[in-house]
Amino acid sequence: MKEIAHLLFETRMLKDIDRSGYAFLGSGRESIAEHSFTTAFICFTMAKIEPEVDSEKLMAMALVHDIPEARTGDHNYVHKKYNQVDEAKAVSHLAAGVAFGRDIQDLINEFNLGETQEARLANDADQISFILELKKLKDTGAVSPEKWLPLVMGRLKTKTGKQMAQSIMETQWDEWWTREYSE
Amino acid sequence: MKEIAHLLFETRMLKDIDRSGYAFLGSGRESIAEHSFTTAFICFTMAKIEPEVDSEKLMAMALVHDIPEARTGDHNYVHKKYNQVDEAKAVSHLAAGVAFGRDIQDLINEFNLGETQEARLANDADQISFILELKKLKDTGAVSPEKWLPLVMGRLKTKTGKQMAQSIMETQWDEWWTREYSE
Amino acid sequence: MKEIAHLLFETRMLKDIDRSGYAFLGSGRESIAEHSFTTAFICFTMAKIEPEVDSEKLMAMALVHDIPEARTGDHNYVHKKYNQVDEAKAVSHLAAGVAFGRDIQDLINEFNLGETQEARLANDADQISFILELKKLKDTGAVSPEKWLPLVMGRLKTKTGKQMAQSIMETQWDEWWTREYSE
Amino acid sequence: MKEIAHLLFETRMLKDIDRSGYAFLGSGRESIAEHSFTTAFICFTMAKIEPEVDSEKLMAMALVHDIPEARTGDHNYVHKKYNQVDEAKAVSHLAAGVAFGRDIQDLINEFNLGETQEARLANDADQISFILELKKLKDTGAVSPEKWLPLVMGRLKTKTGKQMAQSIMETQWDEWWTREYSE
Amino acid sequence: MKEIAHLLFETRMLKDIDRSGYAFLGSGRESIAEHSFTTAFICFTMAKIEPEVDSEKLMAMALVHDIPEARTGDHNYVHKKYNQVDEAKAVSHLAAGVAFGRDIQDLINEFNLGETQEARLANDADQISFILELKKLKDTGAVSPEKWLPLVMGRLKTKTGKQMAQSIMETQWDEWWTREYSE
Amino acid sequence: MKEIAHLLFETRMLKDIDRSGYAFLGSGRESIAEHSFTTAFICFTMAKIEPEVDSEKLMAMALVHDIPEARTGDHNYVHKKYNQVDEAKAVSHLAAGVAFGRDIQDLINEFNLGETQEARLANDADQISFILELKKLKDTGAVSPEKWLPLVMGRLKTKTGKQMAQSIMETQWDEWWTREYSE
């Protein structure tokens, strides 16, 4: 149990690390924990749209996909050019000691390989989580998202992911509550 | 898909709402999204400890358990005394339109009833997520957590939850990386 | 005096609770205490414009109108749909024990009924405080205020309130100092 | 009305200026608007304890006492040693143009002279507003307030102010809600 | 050494004081320490462009030019109208006790007189540091910088400063990394 | 000049990146720009204590020592275990195009090698900048600095650095102004 307590405190750290892309975008902010929650919830909805996928695996993959960043830090596009991140080592260290460490490693490996449908969907969810943020920033007055949205859209691989993102692009961020607004 | 875009923007709002308990604690802060991520990850680990539980359901329950708070707001102990929250109505509205709305409703109902083992574990994870935060605040110099930790501990229902929390209490928040520290 | 100390600490809490509407607006932030100050100062000016009103009552009403929110939380448009707030109970509890508790209750009741000229002005001041914020956000680049300003303007009831708001709409937020600017 | 719009935007600025003492205390923060709200509410309660004072004048004095700081900035103990603040000029400029400008000037002058009972109470309220903040910081783990609380207490002039502050010192900041807490 | 420790803690305070101009701009924020770093780095580059200037003096001047603001506070355009700042007294007090206090005084005096080429460049660097911030805010969606940029540009005195600022105006804030961007 | 504009915007980014160690410390925050300013100012004082060193080089070294972190990110103790940072590549890219790029490279190389007295002092200044922050946090109530201060002290190499740090340890963070305090 001691090792699990360590793992939980390690994962807790994702609340205290902001995603480094927003400083370079010039607007917005988000912790890794917030990003991970949104990604996992998007995976929950994807599993409903594609009921043949392994929903448990899909959500678990989203929950753990950024956990190694407590050890490695979060690297944006520029940072990646100058850092060789040994994510495998980070995963191996965080997994060591907990009985189910191997499961975490397998999930992250599968996510990174992106070969299974679950991995492809989880990777799309990772991008859609960012698209949601960019769309909100755009709708509220930020300038930079206009430039990035098409590029991030272009990273999507699955039909479900593309449709979901397309729908987000056609929706105002506050429509979910303003459409029923009356004074 | 339009309805799913609405649901995702609604869920995204959990990043922008801070949990209201921390103002009354006098230290710390956390968004609902951050809390939900930690709760879901705790559920992921619980399912590894209790392999007979429905892991998919457990994680899904954690991911959705606070989603209605985008509509209701987050209410701390004091707020609850003066608000009659119609969570069912919030859930029904957020679920309306999406094909899998019924699934979300069922998960939240099960969480609230707390009768299945999955629901009991998810409720304990909800508290353990708070215990992690209180323990970190205590370890770094805040005074109030000392008073609240025993009370929150007392809310735990499952053997796994109690053991996990006990282990957290016996662990320094930064031990996961300081134990291997060397200059 | 002990009860007054409690009341002051309770009121102090309004500094630590942000008004929940700004997250849904997507720009800006403001604590309830900041909002209450601005509302009370607007009432001070209104009493100068309408010297026949009870200035003392008007300012006092503004100062206390949101005090129950330390117990109830601040609810925006969406939250109100899903919360039945027992503000009367909150007021009764916060007023209990202090000798002048009844005075606070009476002021809040009068504010809520909105039947006296003082209450109508205080309610308008409550809205004008929001209009000032929206106008500043609009002038500095936020997109959403454009949509909300006409709606909030429409809530105004008094001639003084309407004139004041109209004048705010015709004034740049920084004109008070930029009009005398010289290098 | 244009001049009143200017005055309201000027007063709104008090939300965006933090009181400079907290950086030197090393803990906490507070905007001038938040401080002014608390000061005005303390004056509201003082007028209830001392019903013979002019309650309207007392509250108005608290509301306007820091308004010139939009033009002058907020100066802590150290800053005051190196700045000769022409508050009178600031007041005269902010008051110019509005019909009731003279009233604001008179209130600020009376506050600064500290000769009337209303002015003495308002000055004590100004300090008690700070004492409330220091006591909260102390109760939650900050070290510096211990040193400052006796000094700030020593600035109080009125019997009501002294009793109120004494009572605050004997009260835990969260007692107003924790005394009725039950799991 | 004790006096140097005092001076270092005093200088450290510049991290905790935000430059007061941004609240009046309505967008952005920056500590005095951040501003001083940027100013000093600009001076470093200026010394490379004008190798005949005393590079050591130029950088030192930038590093110390705002140190007295720990004692005086940072005053924006409006604040300066109502404060007579005794910067010389602040400098004399902060310099007292340290053996090289006279050097600091001389550097600040030279900066303020603006007669040497090093002082003119340092003053331009002070403005260019602000121009960089305004340009970034403009490029990311803020409205106010459009109005201020020409005015701040007009304050520049040196050929190097003017060319540098002109080049900043013709450059997108994120071009340094986006020009090499590829998916 | 275009390349210099790029370099300045790149360096400006150091204001928007927080040093990653504070999240792991559990208290405090600081941008890289703030850290760089303090480090450079400490170097300025060191050059006064050791007049035989090359003051220009010492300050320049401090100003540029963390500039590559705009491209690489800031890595704390844990992050360094899992990242192979190609700082040389980052320096080479940021230096490319500017005529004095080679000078920046040389300064950073000398800093990293730590063989000259200037490099040794600059490295100590880098640590003392952190010690100042830890001491302030300790003096104001944080718990973790107690554990880290001796370790960071142990990294110091120069006699001047050690004496300076020792003096900081024996000085209260607010003594520079409280020693002359009187009500």
Side-chain angles (χ1 to χ4, degrees):
Chain A
M1 271 297 178
K2 186 79 173 181
E3 288 305 317
I4 290 178
H6 286 314
L7 179 61
L8 296 183
F9 276 123
E10 177 168 352
T11 308
R12 197 216 137 275
M13 187 56 74
L14 302 184
K15 299 189 211 178
D16 294 338
I17 307 178
D18 282 353
R19 299 234 297 159
S20 62
Y22 292 92
F24 281 58
L25 184 71
S27 305
R29 72 151 286 287
E30 183 187 49
S31 67
I32 304 176
E34 289 171 326
H35 162 71
S36 295
F37 165 70
T38 308
T39 306
F41 183 75
I42 293 168
C43 284
F44 168 82
T45 68
M46 283 172 156
K48 299 299 178 186
I49 296 169
E50 299 199 14
E52 67 286 4
V53 303
D54 181 342
S55 171
E56 178 189 348
K57 196 204 275 179
L58 186 51
M59 288 187 291
M61 217 182 264
L63 286 175
V64 304
H65 85 288
D66 272 345
I67 288 182
E69 296 191 353
R71 287 178 193 259
T72 65
D74 170 71
H75 296 90
N76 61 30
Y77 171 81
V78 175
H79 296 166
K80 279 180 187 144
K81 285 187 174 175
Y82 304 98
N83 283 284
Q84 202 170 326
V85 186
D86 196 344
E87 195 191 81
K89 187 174 155 193
V91 178
S92 127
H93 286 190
L94 77 86
V98 289
F100 51 87
R102 185 78 222 160
D103 297 337
I104 296 180
Q105 283 180 300
D106 289 347
L107 286 165
I108 295 178
N109 285 343
E110 188 174 335
F111 178 86
N112 287 336
L113 288 172
E115 289 172 353
T116 60
Q117 180 63 355
E118 285 81 9
R120 277 189 293 267
L121 288 169
N123 274 283
D124 276 6
D126 194 21
Q127 298 302 328
I128 292 172
S129 171
F130 188 34
I131 289 169
L132 270 174
E133 216 53 39
L134 288 170
K135 183 61 166 58
K136 184 260 180 170
L137 289 167
K138 178 172 177 285
D139 286 351
T140 52
V143 167
S144 312
E146 190 81 51
K147 177 166 60 185
W148 295 108
L149 275 165
L151 294 167
V152 182
M153 292 287 283
R155 292 175 195 159
L156 299 172
K157 298 285 198 318
T158 68
K159 202 180 141 201
T160 295
K162 286 175 190 175
Q163 287 176 339
M164 208 177 261
Q166 194 50 46
S167 179
I168 288 166
M169 292 304 294
E170 293 160 5
T171 304
Q172 285 289 307
W173 83 290
D174 57 0
E175 230 176 277
W176 67 272
W177 67 274
T178 56
R179 60 180 164 165
E180 287 166 9
Y181 185 84
S182 67
E183 276 291 305
Chain B
M1 271 297 178
K2 186 80 173 179
E3 288 305 317
I4 291 178
H6 285 315
L7 179 61
L8 296 184
F9 277 123
E10 177 168 352
T11 308
R12 197 216 136 276
M13 187 56 75
L14 302 184
K15 300 189 209 178
D16 294 339
I17 308 178
D18 281 354
R19 299 233 297 158
S20 62
Y22 292 92
F24 281 57
L25 185 71
S27 305
R29 72 151 285 287
E30 183 188 48
S31 67
I32 304 177
E34 289 170 326
H35 163 71
S36 295
F37 165 69
T38 309
T39 306
F41 184 75
I42 293 168
C43 284
F44 167 82
T45 68
M46 283 172 157
K48 299 298 179 186
I49 297 169
E50 298 198 15
E52 67 286 3
V53 303
D54 181 342
S55 171
E56 179 189 348
K57 196 205 274 179
L58 186 52
M59 288 186 291
M61 217 182 264
L63 286 175
V64 304
H65 86 287
D66 272 345
I67 288 183
E69 295 191 355
R71 287 178 194 260
T72 64
D74 171 70
H75 296 90
N76 61 30
Y77 172 81
V78 175
H79 296 165
K80 279 179 189 147
K81 285 188 174 174
Y82 304 98
N83 283 283
Q84 201 169 327
V85 186
D86 196 343
E87 195 190 83
K89 185 173 155 195
V91 178
S92 128
H93 286 189
L94 77 87
V98 289
F100 51 87
R102 184 77 223 161
D103 297 336
I104 296 180
Q105 283 181 300
D106 289 347
L107 286 165
I108 295 178
N109 285 342
E110 187 173 335
F111 178 85
N112 288 336
L113 288 173
E115 288 172 354
T116 60
Q117 180 63 356
E118 285 80 10
R120 278 189 293 267
L121 288 169
N123 274 284
D124 276 7
D126 193 21
Q127 299 301 328
I128 292 172
S129 170
F130 188 34
I131 289 169
L132 270 174
E133 216 52 40
L134 288 170
K135 183 62 165 60
K136 184 261 179 169
L137 289 167
K138 178 172 177 284
D139 286 352
T140 52
V143 167
S144 312
E146 189 82 52
K147 176 166 59 183
W148 295 108
L149 275 165
L151 295 168
V152 183
M153 293 286 284
R155 292 176 196 158
L156 300 172
K157 298 285 199 319
T158 67
K159 202 180 141 201
T160 296
K162 286 175 190 175
Q163 288 177 339
M164 207 177 262
Q166 194 49 47
S167 179
I168 288 166
M169 293 303 295
E170 292 160 6
T171 304
Q172 285 289 307
W173 83 289
D174 57 359
E175 230 175 277
W176 67 272
W177 67 275
T178 56
R179 60 179 165 166
E180 287 166 9
Y181 185 84
S182 68
E183 276 291 305
Chain C
M1 271 296 178
K2 185 80 173 179
E3 288 304 318
I4 290 178
H6 286 314
L7 180 61
L8 296 183
F9 277 123
E10 177 168 352
T11 307
R12 196 217 138 275
M13 187 56 73
L14 302 184
K15 299 188 210 178
D16 294 338
I17 307 179
D18 282 353
R19 299 234 297 158
S20 61
Y22 293 91
F24 280 57
L25 184 72
S27 305
R29 69 150 287 286
E30 184 187 47
S31 68
I32 304 176
E34 288 171 327
H35 162 71
S36 295
F37 165 70
T38 308
T39 305
F41 183 75
I42 293 168
C43 284
F44 168 83
T45 68
M46 283 172 156
K48 299 299 178 186
I49 297 169
E50 299 199 14
E52 66 286 4
V53 302
D54 181 340
S55 171
E56 178 190 350
K57 195 204 276 179
L58 185 52
M59 287 187 292
M61 215 183 267
L63 286 175
V64 304
H65 85 289
D66 273 345
I67 288 182
E69 295 192 354
R71 286 177 193 260
T72 65
D74 172 70
H75 296 91
N76 61 30
Y77 172 80
V78 175
H79 296 166
K80 278 179 189 147
K81 285 188 174 175
Y82 304 98
N83 283 284
Q84 203 170 326
V85 186
D86 195 345
E87 194 189 83
K89 186 174 154 194
V91 178
S92 127
H93 285 190
L94 77 87
V98 290
F100 51 88
R102 184 78 224 160
D103 297 336
I104 296 180
Q105 282 181 301
D106 288 347
L107 286 165
I108 295 179
N109 285 342
E110 188 173 336
F111 178 85
N112 288 335
L113 287 172
E115 288 172 354
T116 61
Q117 180 64 355
E118 286 81 8
R120 276 189 294 267
L121 288 169
N123 274 284
D124 276 7
D126 193 20
Q127 299 302 330
I128 291 171
S129 171
F130 188 34
I131 289 168
L132 270 174
E133 215 53 39
L134 288 170
K135 184 60 164 61
K136 183 260 181 173
L137 288 167
K138 177 171 179 284
D139 287 352
T140 51
V143 167
S144 312
E146 190 81 53
K147 177 167 58 185
W148 294 109
L149 275 165
L151 295 168
V152 183
M153 293 286 284
R155 294 176 194 157
L156 300 171
K157 299 286 200 317
T158 69
K159 201 179 144 203
T160 296
K162 286 175 191 176
Q163 286 176 339
M164 206 176 263
Q166 194 51 45
S167 179
I168 288 166
M169 291 304 295
E170 292 159 5
T171 304
Q172 283 289 306
W173 83 289
D174 57 0
E175 229 176 275
W176 67 270
W177 67 275
T178 56
R179 60 179 166 167
E180 287 166 11
Y181 185 84
S182 68
E183 278 289 307
Chain D
M1 272 294 179
K2 186 81 173 178
E3 288 305 318
I4 291 179
H6 285 314
L7 179 61
L8 296 184
F9 277 122
E10 177 168 351
T11 308
R12 196 216 137 277
M13 187 56 74
L14 302 184
K15 299 188 211 179
D16 294 337
I17 307 178
D18 282 353
R19 299 234 296 159
S20 62
Y22 292 92
F24 280 57
L25 184 71
S27 304
R29 71 151 285 287
E30 184 187 47
S31 67
I32 304 176
E34 288 171 327
H35 163 71
S36 296
F37 165 70
T38 308
T39 306
F41 184 75
I42 293 167
C43 285
F44 167 82
T45 69
M46 284 172 154
K48 299 298 177 186
I49 297 169
E50 299 199 14
E52 67 286 4
V53 303
D54 181 340
S55 170
E56 178 189 350
K57 196 204 276 179
L58 185 52
M59 287 186 291
M61 216 182 265
L63 285 175
V64 305
H65 85 288
D66 272 346
I67 287 182
E69 296 192 355
R71 286 178 194 262
T72 65
D74 171 70
H75 296 90
N76 61 30
Y77 171 80
V78 175
H79 297 166
K80 278 180 188 146
K81 285 189 174 174
Y82 304 98
N83 283 285
Q84 201 169 328
V85 186
D86 195 344
E87 194 189 85
K89 185 173 155 195
V91 177
S92 126
H93 285 189
L94 77 88
V98 290
F100 51 89
R102 185 77 225 158
D103 297 336
I104 296 180
Q105 283 181 300
D106 289 347
L107 285 166
I108 295 178
N109 285 341
E110 187 173 335
F111 178 86
N112 288 336
L113 289 172
E115 288 171 354
T116 61
Q117 180 64 356
E118 286 80 8
R120 277 189 293 268
L121 288 168
N123 275 283
D124 277 7
D126 193 20
Q127 299 301 330
I128 292 172
S129 171
F130 188 34
I131 289 168
L132 270 174
E133 214 53 38
L134 288 170
K135 183 62 165 60
K136 184 260 179 172
L137 289 167
K138 178 171 177 285
D139 286 351
T140 51
V143 168
S144 312
E146 190 80 53
K147 176 165 61 185
W148 294 108
L149 275 165
L151 295 167
V152 182
M153 293 286 285
R155 293 175 195 158
L156 300 171
K157 298 285 198 319
T158 68
K159 200 179 144 204
T160 296
K162 286 175 190 176
Q163 287 175 338
M164 206 177 263
Q166 194 50 46
S167 179
I168 288 166
M169 292 304 294
E170 293 159 5
T171 304
Q172 284 290 305
W173 83 290
D174 57 0
E175 229 176 276
W176 66 273
W177 67 275
T178 57
R179 60 178 164 168
E180 286 166 11
Y181 185 84
S182 67
E183 278 288 309
Chain E
M1 272 296 178
K2 186 82 173 177
E3 288 305 318
I4 292 179
H6 286 314
L7 180 61
L8 296 184
F9 277 122
E10 177 168 353
T11 309
R12 197 217 137 275
M13 187 56 75
L14 302 184
K15 298 188 212 181
D16 294 338
I17 307 178
D18 282 353
R19 299 234 295 159
S20 62
Y22 292 91
F24 281 57
L25 184 72
S27 305
R29 70 151 286 286
E30 184 188 47
S31 68
I32 304 175
E34 289 171 326
H35 163 71
S36 295
F37 165 70
T38 308
T39 306
F41 184 76
I42 293 168
C43 284
F44 168 83
T45 68
M46 284 172 155
K48 299 298 178 186
I49 297 168
E50 299 199 14
E52 67 285 4
V53 303
D54 181 342
S55 170
E56 178 189 349
K57 196 204 275 179
L58 186 51
M59 287 186 291
M61 216 181 265
L63 286 176
V64 304
H65 86 288
D66 273 345
I67 288 182
E69 297 191 354
R71 285 177 195 261
T72 65
D74 171 70
H75 296 91
N76 60 31
Y77 172 80
V78 175
H79 297 166
K80 279 180 187 146
K81 286 188 172 173
Y82 304 99
N83 283 284
Q84 202 169 327
V85 186
D86 196 344
E87 194 190 82
K89 185 173 155 195
V91 178
S92 127
H93 285 190
L94 77 87
V98 290
F100 51 88
R102 185 79 224 158
D103 297 336
I104 295 179
Q105 283 181 301
D106 288 347
L107 285 165
I108 294 177
N109 285 342
E110 188 173 335
F111 178 86
N112 288 335
L113 288 172
E115 288 171 354
T116 61
Q117 180 64 356
E118 285 81 8
R120 277 190 293 268
L121 288 168
N123 274 284
D124 277 7
D126 193 21
Q127 299 301 329
I128 292 172
S129 171
F130 188 34
I131 289 169
L132 269 175
E133 215 53 40
L134 288 170
K135 184 61 166 60
K136 185 260 179 171
L137 289 167
K138 177 171 177 285
D139 287 350
T140 52
V143 167
S144 312
E146 190 81 51
K147 176 165 60 184
W148 294 108
L149 275 165
L151 295 167
V152 182
M153 293 286 285
R155 293 174 195 159
L156 300 172
K157 297 287 198 320
T158 68
K159 200 180 145 204
T160 296
K162 286 174 190 177
Q163 287 176 338
M164 206 176 263
Q166 194 51 46
S167 179
I168 288 166
M169 291 304 294
E170 293 160 5
T171 304
Q172 284 290 306
W173 83 289
D174 57 359
E175 228 174 278
W176 67 272
W177 67 275
T178 57
R179 60 178 166 169
E180 287 165 8
Y181 185 84
S182 68
E183 278 288 308
Chain F
M1 271 297 179
K2 185 80 173 181
E3 288 304 317
I4 290 178
H6 286 314
L7 179 61
L8 296 183
F9 277 123
E10 178 168 352
T11 308
R12 196 216 137 275
M13 187 56 74
L14 302 184
K15 300 188 209 177
D16 295 338
I17 307 179
D18 282 354
R19 299 235 296 160
S20 61
Y22 292 92
F24 281 57
L25 185 71
S27 305
R29 70 150 287 287
E30 183 187 48
S31 68
I32 304 176
E34 289 170 326
H35 162 71
S36 295
F37 165 70
T38 309
T39 306
F41 183 75
I42 293 168
C43 284
F44 168 82
T45 68
M46 284 172 156
K48 299 298 179 188
I49 297 168
E50 299 199 15
E52 66 286 3
V53 302
D54 181 341
S55 170
E56 179 190 349
K57 196 205 276 181
L58 185 52
M59 288 186 292
M61 216 182 266
L63 286 175
V64 304
H65 85 289
D66 272 345
I67 288 182
E69 295 191 353
R71 287 177 193 259
T72 65
D74 172 70
H75 296 90
N76 61 30
Y77 172 80
V78 175
H79 297 165
K80 278 179 188 148
K81 285 189 173 174
Y82 305 98
N83 283 284
Q84 202 170 325
V85 186
D86 195 345
E87 195 189 83
K89 186 174 153 193
V91 178
S92 128
H93 286 190
L94 77 86
V98 290
F100 52 88
R102 185 77 224 161
D103 296 337
I104 296 180
Q105 282 181 301
D106 289 348
L107 285 164
I108 294 179
N109 285 341
E110 188 173 335
F111 178 85
N112 288 335
L113 287 172
E115 288 172 353
T116 61
Q117 179 64 356
E118 286 80 8
R120 277 189 294 268
L121 288 169
N123 274 284
D124 276 7
D126 193 20
Q127 300 302 330
I128 292 171
S129 170
F130 188 34
I131 290 168
L132 271 173
E133 215 53 38
L134 288 170
K135 184 60 165 61
K136 183 259 179 172
L137 289 167
K138 178 172 177 282
D139 286 352
T140 51
V143 167
S144 313
E146 190 81 53
K147 177 166 61 185
W148 294 108
L149 275 165
L151 295 167
V152 182
M153 293 287 284
R155 293 176 195 158
L156 301 172
K157 298 285 198 320
T158 69
K159 201 180 143 202
T160 296
K162 286 174 191 175
Q163 287 176 339
M164 207 176 262
Q166 193 50 45
S167 179
I168 288 166
M169 291 304 295
E170 292 160 5
T171 305
Q172 284 290 306
W173 83 289
D174 57 0
E175 230 176 275
W176 67 271
W177 67 274
T178 56
R179 59 178 166 168
E180 287 166 9
Y181 186 84
S182 66
E183 277 291 307

